[in-house]
C-alpha cells in the first residue's frame, strides 16, 4: 500500500498519540485531501511526503537525588523548527544532544508530557493513529528469536495487512520483501538470541526493518540503525535504506558518527547540540555552512567527525572565568546564533512559514469532524489464533523450560512419596498427613514461579507490537495465558498428583482422588495467576521474584497452619480469605482427615482403646468447618475469586503499560 501516512487506515485502539500538543479534539476533515498533489505554492515539493516541525520543545522533570522530593526541569529540545522531505534524513549530534528525543517526537513515540509545538505531514495535522501509519525501527532489535525470518514477517503480514488480502498475497509480499532485503539465504533460519544460535546482526536489523516495511509505509523512522554493527554490515543496512528512499519513501534516522561512505548516502542532515538546532540542510551544503562560520574541514577528514569536533570544541581557553555549565550555555547559544544568521535558516523559516500559512488557510475553509477509531486489520479471534500459534511455536522450540519443569515435578513427587510413603492411621500418621498436606500446597505455589516469565520475557516485544497495531491487548493476554496454563500446568500437575497420591497412601477411592487433584490443580493455577498479576506490572525479574516471594510468605503465615487463626488479632484474621495456602490446606485436610480415627502406638503396638484422636475433632480444633458439602466446595470458590481478581489485575496492568518513550 504505497499511500502516505496521512491516508492509511487506523489499526490501533491504544491511547491517541499526541504528536502535536496543539491538536484539537476536532481536526480538519482531510478525507478528500490529495496529499500527492498538494502544492506549497512557491515550493516544488509535490509528489513527496514532507514532515515539518514548528517550535518543538521538550522539557522533562528530574530529581537531583533519588530520595529527594524536589524536581528540576531539564530542557531536552528547545524551539526546534525543521523540514524533513522525502529521502535520507539524518539526525546527528553528540551524545545527549537530543537526537533520539527529536526522532521520537517526530515519529509520535514520545510521551506528550512536557512536549510543545506542532508536527505537520504535508501541511496537515497527522492522523490520530500516526505512529501506526509509519514504520519505526528501534535501536535494539526486538523480534521473536525462536521464529525464522520468514515466520516473523508472515506474523506481521497476517496481523497488519487488510483482511481482504488472501494468504497467497501475503506470502507473495513476504517473499518479495525477503528478496529485496537480501535475506533469501537465511529466510528459514531462526533469528536467534543470546542463548539461541541465529542469524547475524545485520540480518537481524534487516529483519526488523522488514517487519515495518510489510505495510509499505511512506515514512520510516530508525533509531541508531548502525549500532552494534561492523562497518561493512552497517553500510549494507544504510545502502538498503538509500534504495528505499529512492522509491519516494521518507527515511528519518538518528545516527551518531557514521563513516564517510555512509555519510555520502545522506540527502539531508539535522545537527543538534544540547537540544538546539546547529544546522539543517542538504548534506552537500553542510561543509560550506561550516566554512562560512570559520570552520574548515581538513582534507581526508571524515565530515561527521569534523562536525562533532567543531561543536564539541573546548571553550575554557576563550572564556576561562566561566563555569563548565556556563561555558556549555555560551557554546550552545553561539552555534544557535550562527545558524539563525545563516541563509540556511532564512530558507528554512520561509518554508515553514509557507506551510503554516497554508495550514491556517486550510483550517479556515475546511469543515471539522471528530476522529473515529477504525478496527484492527484482523478480528479478535484471528489475532487470538495467530498469537496463540506463535506462543505454542515458541514453547515447542524452547523444550528446555517445559522438560526441566516436568523433570523437577517428577523428582519432587518421588521424594515426597518416599518421605511420606504409605502413611498409617497412628498419631504419627496424623502429624505426617498434616505435614505433607502443607508441603504439597507450598510446593505447588512455588513451583508456579516459572509463570513470572510469561509477560516479563516478552515485555519489550509486546510494547512494540501492541503500540504498532499488531493486535489488541486482550487477544495477546488471552493467548499467552491459555498457552501457558494448558501445556505448562496441566501435565505437570497430573503427573505430580498420580505419583504422590499412590505413594503417600491417601484414601484410595476415586472421589477423594478427584478432590485431591482439583485442589492441587487450582492451587497451581491460582499461584500462576498471582504471578501473572505481579509480572505484568514490573519490568525486572528480581523485583517480581521478591514481590511474589513476599506475597506467598504472607499467604503461608495466614493459612492457619503455622499460626492458629483464632490466636491472631481480630483485625488481622480477615487476611485468611486472601490466602490460597489456607484454601488448599483446608480442602486437603477435609478430604483426607474427615471420618478417620488415629490411635496411639504404645510399646510398638497400635492401641485404639485409649487416647483416640478423631479426624473430625482435629478439624474442629483447627476451626475448619466440614459437616456439609458446602464447607468443602466454598473453598474452591475462594480459588475462583482469586483467579479472576488476579487475571483482571494482570490484564489492566498490561493494558496500562506506558507505550510511549
Amino acid at each position: 500500500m504505497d499511500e502516505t501516512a496521512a491516508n492509511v487506515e487506523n489499526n490501533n485502539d491504544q491511547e491517541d498519540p499526541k504528536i502535536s500538543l496543539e491538536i484539537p479534539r476536532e481536526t480538519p476533515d482531510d478525507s478528500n485531501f490529495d496529499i500527492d498533489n498538494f502544492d506549497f505554492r512557491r515550493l516544488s515539493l509535490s509528489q513527496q511526503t514532507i514532515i515539518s516541525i514548528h517550535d518543538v520543545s521538550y522539557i522533562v522533570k528530574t530529581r537531583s537525588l533519588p530520595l529527594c522530593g524536589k524536581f528540576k526541569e531539564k530542557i531536552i529540545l528547545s524551539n526546534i523548527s525543521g523540514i524533513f522531505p522525502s529521502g535520507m534524513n539524518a539526525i546527528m549530534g553528540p551524545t545527549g544532544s537530543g537526537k533520539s528525543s527529536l526522532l521520537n517526537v517526530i515519529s509520535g513515540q514520545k510521551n506528550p508530557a512536557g512536549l510543545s509545538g506542532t508536527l505537520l505531514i504535508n501541511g496537515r495535522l497527522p492522523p490520530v493513529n500516526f505512529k501506526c501509519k509509519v514504520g519505526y525501527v528501534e535501536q535494539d532489535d526486538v523480534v521473536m528469536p525462536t521464529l525464522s525470518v520468514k515466520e516473523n514477517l508472515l506474523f506481521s503480514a497476517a496481523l497488519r495487512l487488510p483482511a481482504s488480502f488472501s494468504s497467497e498475497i501475503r506470502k507473495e509480499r513476504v517473499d518479495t520483501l525477503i528478496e529485496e532485503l537480501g535475506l533469501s539465504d537465511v529466510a528459514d533460519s531462526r533469528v536467534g538470541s543470546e542463548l539461541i544460535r541465529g542469524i547475524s546482526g545485520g540480518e537481524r536489523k534487516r529483519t526488523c526493518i522488514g517487519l515495518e516495511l510489510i505495510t509499505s509505509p511512506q515514512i520510516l523512522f530508525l533509531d541508531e540503525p548502525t549500532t552494534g554493527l561492523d562497518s561493512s554490515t552497517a553500510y549494507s543496512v544504510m545502502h538498503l535504506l538509500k534504495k528505499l528512499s529512492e522509491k519516494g519513501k521518507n527515511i528519518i534516522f538518528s545516527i551518531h558518527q557514521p563513516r564517510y561512505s555512509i555519510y555520502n548516502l545522506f540527502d539531508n542532515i539535522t545537527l543538534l547540540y544540547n537540544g538546539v538546532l546547529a544546522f539543517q540542510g542538504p548534506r552537500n551544503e553542510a561543509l560550506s555552512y561550516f566554512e562560512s562560520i570559520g570552520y574548515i574541514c581538513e582534507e581526508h577528514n571524515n565530515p561527521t567527525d569534523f562536525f562533532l569536533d567543531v561543536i564539541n570544541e573546548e571553550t575554557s581557553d576563550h572564556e576561562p572565568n566561566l563555569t563548565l555549565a556556563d561555558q556549555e550555555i555560551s557554546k550552545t547559544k553561539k552555534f544557535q546564533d550562527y545558524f539563525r544568521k545563516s541563509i540556511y535558516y532564512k530558507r528554512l523559516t520561509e518554508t515553514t512559514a509557507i506551510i503554516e500559512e497554508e495550514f491556517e488557510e486550510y483550517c479556515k475553509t475546511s469543515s471539522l469532524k471528530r476522529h473515529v477509531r477504525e478496527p484492527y486489520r484482523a478480528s479478535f479471534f484471528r489475532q487470538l489464533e495467530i498469537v496463540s500459534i506463535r506462543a505454542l511455536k515458541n514453547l515447542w522450540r524452547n523444550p528446555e523450560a517445559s522438560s526441566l519443569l516436568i523433570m523437577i515435578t517428577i523428582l519432587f513427587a518421588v521424594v515426597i512419596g518416599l518421605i511420606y510413603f504409605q502413611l498409617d492411621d497412628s498419631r504419627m500418621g496424623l502429624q505426617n498427613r498434616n505435614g505433607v498436606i502443607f508441603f504439597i500446597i507450598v510446593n505447588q505455589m512455588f513451583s508456579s514461579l516459572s509463570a513470572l516469565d510469561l509477560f516479563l520475557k516478552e515485555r519489550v516485544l509486546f510494547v512494540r507490537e501492541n503500540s504498532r497495531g499488531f493486535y489488541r491487548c486482550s487477544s495477546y493476554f488471552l493467548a499467552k495465558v491459555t498457552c501457558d496454563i494448558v501445556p505448562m500446568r496441566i501435565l505437570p500437575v497430573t503427573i505430580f498428583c498420580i505419583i504422590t497420591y499412590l505413594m503417600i497412601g491417601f484414601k484410595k477411592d476415586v472421589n477423594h482422588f478427584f478432590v485431591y487433584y482439583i485442589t492441587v490443580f487450582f492451587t497451581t493455577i491460582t499461584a500462576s495467576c498471582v504471578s501473572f498479576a505481579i509480572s505484568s506490572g514490573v519490568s525486572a525479574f528480581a523485583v517480581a521474584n521478591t514481590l511474589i516471594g513476599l506475597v506467598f510468605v504472607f499467604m503461608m503465615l495466614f493459612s492457619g497452619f503455622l499460626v492458629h487463626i483464632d490466636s491472631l488479632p481480630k483485625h488481622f484474621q480477615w487476611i485468611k480469605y486472601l490466602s490460597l495456602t489456607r484454601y488448599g490446606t483446608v480442602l486437603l485436610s477435609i478430604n483426607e482427615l474427615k471420618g478417620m480415627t488415629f490411635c496411639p502406638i504404645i510399646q510398638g503396638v497400635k492401641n485404639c482403646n485409649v487416647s483416640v484422636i478423631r479426624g473430625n475433632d482435629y478439624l474442629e480444633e483447627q476451626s475448619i468447618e466440614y459437616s456439609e458439602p458446602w464447607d468443602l466446595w466454598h473453598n474452591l470458590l475462594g480459588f475462583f475469586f482469586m483467579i479472576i481478581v488476579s487475571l483482571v489485575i494482570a490484564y489492566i496492568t498490561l493494558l496500562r503499560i506506558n507505550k510511549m518513550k
Side-chain angles (χ1 to χ4, degrees):
M1 295 183 298
D2 294 328
E3 301 174 351
T4 53
N7 284 335
V8 186
E9 295 179 2
N10 186 0
N11 62 352
N12 187 21
D13 64 359
Q14 301 303 319
E15 184 178 355
D16 297 351
K18 297 182 180 178
I19 312 297
S20 165
L21 297 189
E22 299 175 5
I23 294 180
R25 292 182 63 120
E26 294 185 344
T27 56
D29 179 6
D30 54 1
S31 58
N32 298 320
F33 173 62
D34 186 0
I35 291 177
D36 289 338
N37 295 323
F38 184 71
D39 184 13
F40 291 123
R41 296 186 308 182
R42 291 171 287 173
L43 301 176
S44 57
L45 299 178
S46 62
Q47 305 300 326
Q48 296 192 44
T49 302
I50 303 169
I51 298 178
S52 60
I53 54 175
H54 307 265
D55 296 322
V56 168
S57 296
Y58 181 54
I59 301 174
V60 297
K61 292 183 178 181
T62 59
R63 293 179 187 266
S64 54
L65 293 174
L67 299 180
C68 180
K70 296 181 179 180
F71 289 89
K72 63 178 182 179
E73 291 187 343
K74 181 179 180 181
I75 299 176
I76 306 299
L77 300 173
S78 177
N79 297 321
I80 295 180
S81 298
I83 302 289
F84 300 88
S86 294
M88 292 281 283
N89 296 278
I91 302 176
M92 300 173 58
T95 302
S97 61
K99 301 188 301 294
S100 295
S101 294
L102 179 59
L103 182 75
N104 291 329
V105 168
I106 301 172
S107 61
Q109 306 291 325
K110 182 61 70 178
N111 193 318
L115 182 62
S116 62
T118 306
L119 169 68
L120 299 177
I121 311 296
N122 283 356
R124 301 290 181 267
L125 290 173
V128 132
N129 57 330
F130 175 65
K131 69 177 182 178
C132 296
K133 312 280 34 67
V134 300
Y136 184 88
V137 181
E138 299 185 10
Q139 180 175 348
D140 298 325
D141 300 330
V142 183
V143 63
M144 181 62 75
T146 54
L147 300 187
S148 68
V149 171
K150 188 173 184 178
E151 287 173 334
N152 274 293
L153 295 177
L154 285 172
F155 178 81
S156 179
L159 295 175
R160 303 181 73 189
L161 292 180
S164 59
F165 282 26
S166 64
S167 58
E168 290 75 16
I169 294 177
R170 291 191 177 95
K171 290 178 181 178
E172 182 180 350
R173 174 167 288 194
V174 168
D175 291 337
T176 302
L177 190 57
I178 287 175
E179 185 176 351
E180 291 178 352
L181 294 171
L183 295 171
S184 300
D185 293 338
V186 294
D188 297 319
S189 301
R190 293 187 190 182
V191 172
S193 63
E194 298 84 356
L195 303 177
I196 304 173
R197 185 177 180 85
I199 59 180
S200 66
E203 291 163 343
R204 283 174 62 91
K205 181 66 68 177
R206 280 179 278 169
T207 301
C208 292
I209 295 174
L211 291 174
E212 299 302 319
L213 292 179
I214 203 73
T215 58
S216 297
Q218 280 297 103
I219 307 173
L220 180 63
F221 297 96
L222 302 100
D223 187 12
E224 301 280 0
T226 60
T227 298
L229 304 179
D230 59 71
S231 58
S232 176
T233 304
Y235 178 79
S236 67
V237 170
M238 298 306 295
H239 184 66
L240 168 66
L241 297 176
K242 179 65 175 178
K243 291 194 296 183
L244 293 173
S245 70
E246 291 172 349
K247 296 179 180 180
K249 295 187 183 298
N250 194 335
I251 311 294
I252 305 175
F253 53 91
S254 63
I255 194 165
H256 184 62
Q257 210 163 349
R259 67 180 193 175
Y260 182 69
S261 60
I262 293 178
Y263 171 77
N264 270 342
L265 299 175
F266 302 165
D267 295 314
N268 304 282
I269 64 172
T270 300
L271 191 61
L272 298 180
Y273 181 67
N274 281 346
V276 302
L277 196 61
F279 173 78
Q280 186 183 64
R283 184 260 309 165
N284 53 16
E285 297 181 14
L287 290 176
S288 300
Y289 164 73
F290 278 95
E291 287 181 9
S292 69
I293 61 175
Y295 297 95
I296 300 176
C297 181
E298 297 178 356
E299 190 176 3
H300 305 304
N301 189 8
N302 184 0
T304 57
D305 295 335
F306 166 71
F307 298 150
L308 296 186
D309 289 342
V310 168
I311 62 178
N312 280 323
E313 66 174 353
E314 295 294 335
T315 59
S316 57
D317 294 337
H318 305 288
E319 299 170 321
N321 297 325
L322 297 179
T323 63
L324 290 177
D326 290 337
Q327 288 179 27
E328 284 295 316
I329 295 174
S330 175
K331 186 166 59 171
T332 302
K333 189 176 185 303
K334 178 180 70 172
F335 283 108
Q336 188 179 37
D337 291 342
Y338 277 153
F339 182 62
R340 290 186 173 182
K341 294 176 182 178
S342 69
I343 188 175
Y344 302 97
Y345 183 73
K346 182 180 179 181
R347 183 195 306 167
L348 177 63
T349 53
E350 289 177 351
T351 306
T352 54
I354 294 173
I355 294 174
E356 290 174 352
E357 183 181 346
E358 288 289 335
F359 175 65
E360 290 173 2
E361 287 295 324
Y362 175 76
C363 290
K364 291 177 182 178
T365 59
S366 301
S367 62
L368 298 178
K369 75 171 185 178
R370 191 177 301 275
H371 279 296
V372 179
R373 295 188 182 277
E374 298 181 12
Y376 283 84
R377 298 291 192 182
S379 66
F380 170 81
F381 291 104
R382 176 62 175 167
Q383 292 175 2
L384 181 63
E385 176 190 357
I386 298 299
V387 178
S388 297
I389 291 174
R390 186 180 70 168
L392 291 175
K393 282 184 178 180
N394 184 47
L395 185 63
W396 177 257
R397 294 174 185 178
N398 269 303
E400 297 82 6
S402 54
S403 300
L404 182 62
L405 180 62
I406 292 176
M407 290 175 61
I408 292 176
T409 299
I410 295 174
L411 176 63
F412 266 95
V414 172
V415 169
I416 293 172
L418 291 175
I419 294 175
Y420 297 97
F421 187 75
Q422 297 300 316
L423 296 177
D424 55 26
D425 56 355
S426 65
R427 286 190 178 182
M428 188 182 300
L430 173 61
Q431 180 181 352
N432 289 341
R433 275 178 168 78
N434 289 327
V436 73
I437 287 172
F438 183 76
F439 186 81
I440 286 173
I441 298 301
V442 171
N443 174 72
Q444 292 307 113
M445 287 170 54
F446 283 94
S447 67
S448 301
L449 291 181
S450 59
L452 287 176
D453 268 344
L454 186 68
F455 298 120
L456 272 173
K457 204 170 185 180
E458 295 182 9
R459 186 183 183 89
V460 177
L461 184 66
F462 163 74
V463 169
R464 184 188 75 83
E465 293 178 342
N466 183 245
S467 64
R468 307 300 303 148
F470 278 66
Y471 42 67
R472 299 170 178 82
C473 181
S474 56
S475 58
Y476 174 83
F477 177 79
L478 185 58
K480 292 295 293 181
V481 169
T482 303
C483 292
D484 178 86
I485 289 178
V486 174
M488 296 292 290
R489 311 299 160 195
I490 294 180
L491 180 59
V493 166
T494 303
I495 295 173
F496 180 85
C497 288
I498 293 175
I499 295 176
T500 53
Y501 200 86
L502 294 177
M503 293 186 68
I504 293 173
F506 286 140
K507 292 179 178 178
K508 294 180 174 58
D509 63 78
V510 175
N511 291 335
H512 286 87
F513 174 77
F514 176 75
V515 173
Y516 174 77
Y517 178 82
I518 290 297
T519 302
V520 175
F521 174 77
F522 276 105
T523 299
T524 305
I525 300 303
T526 307
S528 299
C529 291
V530 173
S531 299
F532 297 158
I534 291 177
S535 66
S536 63
V538 298
S539 56
F541 181 80
V543 176
N545 198 35
T546 301
L547 290 176
I548 195 66
L550 187 64
V551 170
F552 284 172
V553 166
F554 269 96
M555 287 183 175
M556 291 163 54
L557 185 62
F558 289 93
S559 65
F561 187 88
L562 300 177
V563 179
H564 200 287
I565 294 296
D566 293 339
S567 67
L568 295 172
K570 293 293 184 181
H571 52 277
F572 280 148
Q573 292 184 9
W574 62 271
I575 301 179
K576 68 182 181 180
Y577 296 110
L578 302 179
S579 172
L580 70 90
T581 315
R582 177 166 180 81
Y583 292 130
T585 53
V586 166
L587 275 170
L588 292 187
S589 295
I590 295 174
N591 188 54
E592 183 60 25
L593 302 181
K594 182 180 178 180
M596 289 194 68
T597 301
F598 299 94
C599 305
I601 297 179
I602 302 175
Q603 295 180 352
V605 179
K606 183 170 66 174
N607 190 340
C608 294
N609 296 322
V610 294
S611 301
V612 174
I613 298 179
R614 292 179 173 81
N616 294 1
D617 296 336
Y618 177 81
L619 294 174
E620 291 176 359
E621 289 179 3
Q622 298 298 316
S623 301
I624 297 175
E625 298 178 358
Y626 63 89
S627 57
E628 300 294 335
W630 169 249
D631 296 328
L632 180 68
W633 297 107
H634 84 274
N635 290 282
L636 286 178
L637 292 179
F639 279 133
F640 279 114
F641 173 78
M642 294 190 68
I643 289 172
I644 292 172
V645 170
S646 297
L647 289 178
V648 169
I649 292 174
Y651 174 71
I652 293 176
T653 306
L654 205 64
L655 189 66
R656 294 176 58 85
I657 288 179
N658 183 17
K659 301 174 181 66
M660 307 294 285
K661 295 184 181 294

